[in-house]
């Protein structure tokens, strides 16, 4: 046991002596946590610039403009009265939408000639385009309802019948979980989990590969003949440091006032399985590829697209079957699914059984492969001795 603890100390010394690895493993989660926290800290998009082309200059068009001004998502960057140089002005003002109110808009509305308001949406950024166009639709829908109700009122329809005359049935949308559609709640945790996976893979890529390159693997085998102990010596330090990063992430939720209070204990347990699963992937590649550079490159190829493939932002069901198969062998995919169930949707631990077992299976397969590969590496070294 004393020998085992001395080997753990040795592993911590090796980690601490590598300045680049130390900076990345400790610095990257903190840097990304703080930086992305402030990037998405606002939570939702507001004050998106739009341009109004008011060719009517009537009381009704003024009401429409007032509604746009009152909407928190929109900010009127400019009001024009013709379409001269409209494209250039839209680029100059960085407008997400251009709303064109036609000439004789009020007159045609009151005489039921159905004028058309045209909205040009800048879809170069899908996020801002969706927010701005939805806000404009809400404003114009409210204006349309107001005009119709006022017309019915002038026709002598009683006040208590106005709503039912205009709207034959009601529709109700109830938002659950992320009710404010806060982008911070949605994206920030997923990115931090991705960072944790990347730094783990980067660190463990060097674990055995550095021993092979530096010629110290033979001495390590002599001090620790057990393959299980060898794997434990390499993984346990990263498990301990990962728990430290997990605590830092929790402190970030307090700093940025994120309402992540429920199910933290079960999520911590699942995070432990996630870290183990990722660690065995890193260990396996480190054993099979005895070059630190090549092992790092291979694991970064796995880690870099993992967030995109995870189904966290784009539904996994909408991806080709081959891509889904690749995504399902990456632990991050299953951890983020469990995270969403427990933290975002306030689900129960029993509902995360499938992603937990998927991570366990990935971990077991990689552990067995790493055990076999390390057995042959050890055998080869002892023969040379």
């Amino acid at each position: 046991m004393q020998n085992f603890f001395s080997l753990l100390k040795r592993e911590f010394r090796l980690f601490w002596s590598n300045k680049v690895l130390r900076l990345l493993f400790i610095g990257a989660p903190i840097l990304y946590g703080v930086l992305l926290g402030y990037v998405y800290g606002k939570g939702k998009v507001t004050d998106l610039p739009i341009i109004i082309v008011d060719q009517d200059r009537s009381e009704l068009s003024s009401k429409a403009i007032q509604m746009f001004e009152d909407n928190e998502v929109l900010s009127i960057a400019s009001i024009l009265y013709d379409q001269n140089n409209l494209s250039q002005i839209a680029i100059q003002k960085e407008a997400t939408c251009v709303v064109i109110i036609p000439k004789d808009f009020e007159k045609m509305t009151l005489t039921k000639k159905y004028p058309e308001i045209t909205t040009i949406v800048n879809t170069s950024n899908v996020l801002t385009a969706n927010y701005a166009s939805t806000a404009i639709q809400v404003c114009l829908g409210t204006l349309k309802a107001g005009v119709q109700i006022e017309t019915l009122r002038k026709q002598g329809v009683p006040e208590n019948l106005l709503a039912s005359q205009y709207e034959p049935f009601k529709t109700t949308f109830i938002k659950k979980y992320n009710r404010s559609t806060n982008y911070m709640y949605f994206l920030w945790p997923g990115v931090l989990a991705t960072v944790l996976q990347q730094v783990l893979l980067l660190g463990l890529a060097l674990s055995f590969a550095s021993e092979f390159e530096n010629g110290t693997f033979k001495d390590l085998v002599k001090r620790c003949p057990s393959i299980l102990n060898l794997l434990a010596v390499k993984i346990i330090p990263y498990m301990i440091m990962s728990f430290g990063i997990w605590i830092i992430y929790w402190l970030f939720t307090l700093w940025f006032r994120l309402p992540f209070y429920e199910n933290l204990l079960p999520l911590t347990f699942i995070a432990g399985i996630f870290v183990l699963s990722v660690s065995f992937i890193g260990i396996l590649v480190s054993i099979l590829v005895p070059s630190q550079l090549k092992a790092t490159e291979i694991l970064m190829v796995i880690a870099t697209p993992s967030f995109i493939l995870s189904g966290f932002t784009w539904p996994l069901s909408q991806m080709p079957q081959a891509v889904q198969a690749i995504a399902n062998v990456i632990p991050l995919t299953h951890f983020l699914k469990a995270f969403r169930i427990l933290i975002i949707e306030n689900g129960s631990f029993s509902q995360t059984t499938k992603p937990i077992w998927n991570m366990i299976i990935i971990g077991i397969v990689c552990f067995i492969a790493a055990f076999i590969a390390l057995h042959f590496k050890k055998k080869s070294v002892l023969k040379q001795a």
Side-chain angles (χ1 to χ4, degrees):
M1 185 60 72
Q2 187 176 356
N3 182 49
F4 182 78
F5 281 117
S6 68
L7 288 172
L8 282 180
K9 289 180 182 178
R10 173 184 179 273
E11 197 61 32
F12 275 112
R13 282 198 302 270
L14 288 174
F15 169 82
W16 203 254
S17 63
N18 190 325
K19 293 180 180 179
V20 175
L21 181 58
R22 185 176 68 204
L23 179 64
L24 287 174
F25 195 90
I26 299 173
I30 295 174
L31 177 63
Y32 278 102
V34 173
L35 184 63
L36 293 175
Y38 282 110
V39 167
Y40 298 113
K42 194 175 179 181
K44 58 181 180 179
V45 180
T46 60
D47 300 317
L48 294 175
I50 65 169
I51 291 175
I52 309 294
V53 180
D54 184 5
Q55 296 177 327
D56 191 38
R57 304 194 201 184
S58 63
E59 184 180 345
L60 190 58
S61 65
S62 296
K63 284 183 180 179
I65 293 170
Q66 185 61 49
M67 285 184 171
F68 295 142
E69 287 179 343
D70 292 341
N71 191 293
E72 66 171 350
V73 175
L74 305 174
S75 173
I76 299 177
S78 183
I79 298 177
L80 308 177
Y81 301 105
D82 56 55
Q83 297 187 42
N84 294 335
N85 301 318
L86 184 57
S87 296
Q88 291 85 344
I89 295 171
I91 293 172
Q92 180 185 349
K93 299 289 185 179
E94 299 181 354
T96 52
C97 291
V98 175
V99 181
I100 302 174
I101 302 173
K103 189 177 180 181
D104 297 326
F105 169 65
E106 183 178 58
K107 180 181 177 181
M108 293 173 72
T109 300
L110 296 176
T111 56
K112 294 187 176 180
K113 292 184 179 179
Y114 303 107
E116 181 180 6
I117 291 180
T118 303
T119 302
I120 302 169
V121 184
N122 181 351
T123 52
S124 60
N125 185 319
V126 177
L127 174 69
T128 56
N130 288 339
Y131 266 94
S133 59
T134 301
I136 289 170
Q137 286 173 21
V138 169
C139 292
L140 294 179
T142 304
L143 179 65
K144 189 185 298 183
V147 170
Q148 290 180 346
I149 289 173
E150 187 61 31
T151 301
L152 291 171
R153 183 179 285 117
K154 288 178 180 179
Q155 291 174 354
V157 176
E159 288 292 330
N160 60 337
L161 296 178
L162 283 175
S164 60
Q165 287 286 328
Y166 158 67
E167 188 178 40
F169 62 90
K170 293 182 179 180
T171 55
T172 302
F173 293 86
I174 301 173
K175 292 181 180 179
K176 292 187 70 177
Y177 313 127
N178 189 358
R179 294 182 62 184
S180 62
T181 60
N182 191 303
Y183 215 68
M184 175 78 162
Y185 303 164
F186 163 64
L187 192 62
W188 184 76
V191 174
L192 292 194
T194 307
V195 171
L196 177 58
Q197 177 179 262
Q198 285 182 322
V199 295
L200 274 170
L201 290 175
L202 180 63
L204 288 160
L206 309 178
S207 56
F208 281 107
S210 62
E211 303 280 3
F212 299 143
E213 280 195 351
N214 298 330
T216 57
F217 182 67
K218 187 187 296 184
D219 297 331
L220 182 61
V221 168
K222 287 178 181 178
R223 291 184 61 183
C224 185
S226 169
I227 294 175
L228 284 175
N229 285 346
L230 278 174
L231 292 172
V233 161
K234 292 294 183 182
I235 289 175
I236 288 175
Y238 287 92
M239 289 288 293
I240 294 171
M241 290 186 289
S242 295
F243 185 70
I245 291 173
W246 187 252
I247 292 174
I248 291 170
Y249 283 175
W250 174 71
L251 292 173
F252 281 156
T253 64
L254 299 179
W255 178 262
F256 291 112
R257 299 179 181 178
L258 301 181
F260 297 161
Y261 312 121
E262 303 294 330
N263 297 320
L264 284 179
L265 194 60
L267 183 66
T268 301
F269 171 74
I270 295 172
I273 297 173
F274 166 66
V275 169
L276 264 177
S277 182
V278 173
S279 297
F280 284 126
I281 293 175
I283 284 287
L284 175 61
V285 174
S286 185
I287 295 169
L288 294 177
V289 183
S291 164
Q292 295 183 66
L293 179 60
K294 288 182 180 178
T296 303
E297 288 174 346
I298 290 170
L299 288 172
M300 284 303 100
V301 168
I302 296 171
T304 302
S306 59
F307 183 65
I308 298 170
L309 298 178
S310 68
F312 196 71
T313 55
W314 182 259
L316 203 61
S317 61
Q318 305 304 306
M319 302 179 193
Q321 291 293 327
V323 177
Q324 291 184 40
I326 295 170
N328 283 325
V329 298
I330 300 174
L332 183 70
T333 302
H334 309 292
F335 173 73
L336 291 180
K337 187 174 182 181
F339 168 84
R340 176 171 280 165
I341 291 170
L342 288 177
I343 303 299
I344 305 297
E345 299 175 355
N346 293 322
S348 64
F349 181 73
S350 60
Q351 292 173 304
T352 62
T353 304
K354 187 176 179 181
I356 288 173
W357 275 110
N358 287 335
M359 286 189 287
I360 290 173
I361 291 168
I362 293 169
I364 289 173
V365 170
C366 291
F367 165 73
I368 293 171
F371 187 93
I372 295 169
L374 192 58
H375 170 75
F376 284 108
K377 286 283 186 180
K378 175 187 170 185
K379 199 172 180 181
S380 174
V381 166
L382 292 177
K383 277 185 180 179
Q384 292 175 3

